[in-house]
Amino acid sequence: MIRIIKSATVPVPLATRGSTDRPRLEKKYAADPAACQVPGNKLLEAREGIYKDERVKLQLRIDQHDKCCYCETKGFAATSYEAVEHFRPKGGYQQAASDPLTKPGYYWLAYEWHNLYLACTRCNTDYKGNLFPLRYPAARAHSHADALSMEEPLLPDLATEDPTRHLTFRENAAQALDARGQACIDVFGLDRPALIKQRQDHLCNLHNARIVGAFDLSAPLSTRARKFLRDFGYTLAEGKQVVANAKQQWTEAAFDSAQFASMVRAKFPGKPIN
Ligand SMILES: [Zn+2]
């Protein structure tokens, strides 16, 4: 995970239809708070057509460089459903995975730009779900009348906090620096085996890119350069393109836009980050 710089302009559907619908939810809660706390009730359901509007997703995709906000898998929309993630869950919450769902959730934040991110299905549905652990659960905001500022979430809010203060990587494995980092690993499943394998493959690719990108194919060609072209069957032009691509991949490996940038930054400190 890395810090995410979100657009200062709120996407239109949230600023218009979302702003209009939020008071409806607040009035419903105020009319009968007890009914809204009944397990399984659907009184405060948000209109998903608003927060799932393509314009909201597009802005999140841009701001997050087409990466899942949690696992940093890039281009995940090709193989996974893109979930609009509510950082503070809108429908109900769990302090721990073993707890039942408590209602209502943070219904008043369903359309709030600052509460939305884009996550892959694995991170969103299989792991985080409705989890939102607090350091002091008694301080939790239960309605729009309560102050969020009293809460101390264990999960860092990526738009306002730097997660690397709590979480780093040792090779391909996530390492907690404190309780908040451990909460990230547990809640987002950052050390699930398939993700560790994907990060390992990425590191191997980067090592290769580093080696190939350092190849000198300028004239006169060295014996090593001629062998490189011959071994892979490249023309000189093709070889130069391969080297340029590898050099670019290595140079940009720790950029905000790069896949698994947080792991790469831990592995190669000092690499430029944008
Ligand atoms: Zn993910």
Side-chain angles (χ1 to χ4, degrees):
M1 296 190 300
I2 58 169
R3 181 100 183 245
I4 292 171
I5 312 296
K6 289 174 88 172
S7 159
T9 306
V10 176
V12 170
L14 303 176
T16 54
R17 291 159 60 209
S19 293
T20 307
D21 200 49
R22 175 174 164 161
R24 175 184 70 85
L25 297 172
E26 293 180 353
K27 275 181 203 156
K28 249 187 176 175
Y29 177 84
D32 194 347
C36 297
Q37 292 161 12
V38 172
N41 86 81
K42 295 186 174 179
L43 291 170
L44 300 176
E45 262 191 14
R47 294 182 171 135
E48 64 175 38
I50 299 175
Y51 62 81
K52 284 186 179 175
D53 188 287
E54 277 306 317
R55 288 167 287 180
V56 176
K57 287 186 178 180
L58 176 62
Q59 192 58 57
L60 287 170
R61 214 175 289 134
I62 293 169
D63 293 351
Q64 294 178 199
H65 306 279
D66 200 21
K67 296 193 292 185
C68 169
C69 61
Y70 299 131
C71 69
E72 283 199 87
T73 299
K74 193 170 174 86
F76 64 92
T79 53
S80 159
Y81 176 72
E82 280 180 314
V84 175
E85 149 74 358
H86 288 80
F87 179 60
R88 283 178 164 86
K90 65 188 183 311
Y93 67 85
Q94 293 167 283
Q95 170 70 19
S98 55
D99 292 347
L101 187 69
T102 302
K103 289 184 87 73
Y106 297 82
Y107 59 88
W108 66 101
L109 304 178
Y111 311 119
E112 295 304 308
W113 178 228
H114 64 82
N115 195 43
L116 302 182
Y117 294 94
L118 208 56
C120 73
T121 313
R122 291 284 284 154
C123 286
N124 179 267
T125 309
D126 298 344
Y127 285 93
K128 179 169 180 284
N130 293 303
L131 283 164
F132 196 69
L134 300 182
R135 187 170 178 206
Y136 303 111
R140 190 179 298 277
H142 293 289
S143 82
H144 58 281
D146 296 338
L148 289 176
S149 58
M150 300 303 289
E151 294 186 340
E152 287 188 41
L154 284 178
L155 304 173
D157 186 344
L158 300 176
T160 56
E161 298 181 83
D162 180 2
T164 62
R165 291 182 55 200
H166 312 288
L167 184 77
T168 186
F169 286 83
R170 185 174 294 163
E171 294 296 325
N172 56 17
Q175 302 276 308
L177 299 173
D178 57 21
R180 299 189 73 192
Q182 191 58 51
C184 292
I185 294 171
D186 295 341
V187 171
F188 304 135
L190 294 181
D191 270 350
R192 54 190 187 257
L195 193 53
I196 287 182
K197 169 76 168 60
Q198 217 174 330
R199 288 196 297 252
Q200 181 58 43
D201 290 346
H202 188 68
L203 282 180
C204 288
N205 288 338
L206 282 186
H207 283 301
N208 292 338
R210 187 180 193 179
I211 293 165
V212 174
F215 249 91
D216 181 5
L217 293 181
S218 56
L221 287 176
S222 65
T223 305
R224 188 164 171 259
R226 280 199 295 274
K227 184 174 185 311
F228 168 75
L229 295 175
R230 195 172 57 243
D231 285 353
F232 291 98
Y234 292 141
T235 64
L236 180 58
E238 287 169 343
K240 282 186 172 175
Q241 190 59 58
V242 168
V243 169
N245 291 346
K247 192 172 186 179
Q248 183 178 4
Q249 187 187 0
W250 171 245
T251 303
E252 299 178 358
F255 282 16
D256 281 355
S257 56
Q259 175 155 260
F260 305 134
S262 50
M263 172 189 69
V264 174
R265 290 172 191 178
K267 170 77 179 169
F268 304 104
K271 271 190 83 60
I273 62 170
N274 50 49

